[in-house]
Amino acid sequence: MQKDGEHGFWLYDLKVETVLDGRAPVCRHVEGEAFRVIGENLVFDGPAKLSMYALAAVLPLLPAKQRDTDPDDWMSTDAEVACPDPHCGGRLRIIREARRWYSHAATTGLPDQRGTPYWKDDK
Ligand SMILES: [Zn+2]
């Protein structure tokens, strides 16, 4: 895909929010605590903390949620991931937010296609 003559791709920024909806947590799940996924980075606001077990459950889904998916794909419609502890009511809700453009040259590791890494660009 190209935008303004530059090869690249779109990714959604994601917000991953702890929800309980009345269920009792076993692990430390604080309703409303959240982090954002911006490109490859997990960005925590303030003092938010997250169980590494809950994080491990949600991590594999994040790259797919960042990308456009077919409206009938469950990846488009389903947004909550349960904590892996079967006795725990904690869930993480993945919310798609704005889309952001990433240049291929700024993100690839291929030496012959590599430009300035996105994290060194001031754009
Ligand atoms: Zn839990």
Side-chain angles (χ1 to χ4, degrees), residues 25-29 51 54 83-85 88-90:
V26 172
C27 327
R28 185 191 173 279
H29 296 286
S51 156
C83 175
D85 184 320
C88 182

Side-chain angles (χ1 to χ4, degrees), residues 1-20:
M1 180 178 292
Q2 287 191 42
K3 180 173 141 298
D4 302 327
E6 178 183 60
H7 289 273
F9 55 100
W10 292 96
L11 293 179
Y12 287 97
D13 289 350
L14 304 175
K15 180 180 179 184
V16 181
E17 180 178 48
T18 298
V19 292
L20 292 170

Side-chain angles (χ1 to χ4, degrees), residues 94-108:
I94 305 169
I95 302 159
R96 285 177 168 157
E97 296 189 321
R99 289 195 320 165
R100 196 182 295 258
W101 175 259
Y102 291 89
S103 154
H104 177 74
T107 54
T108 184

Side-chain angles (χ1 to χ4, degrees), residues 8-87:
F9 55 100
W10 292 96
L11 293 179
Y12 287 97
D13 289 350
L14 304 175
K15 180 180 179 184
V16 181
E17 180 178 48
T18 298
V19 292
L20 292 170
D21 293 333
R23 293 176 303 272
V26 172
C27 327
R28 185 191 173 279
H29 296 286
V30 177
E31 193 146 43
E33 280 195 349
F35 67 91
R36 289 194 153 65
V37 183
I38 302 174
E40 65 178 332
N41 297 304
L42 305 181
V43 181
F44 288 82
D45 295 330
K49 297 177 184 174
L50 181 63
S51 156
M52 64 180 170
Y53 306 110
L55 180 62
V58 76
L59 274 178
L61 303 176
L62 298 180
K65 278 294 206 182
Q66 289 179 297
R67 288 159 170 82
D68 276 325
T69 47
D70 189 284
D72 291 325
D73 187 332
W74 69 269
M75 187 60 72
S76 301
T77 57
D78 298 23
E80 291 191 7
V81 178
C83 175
D85 184 320
H87 303 290

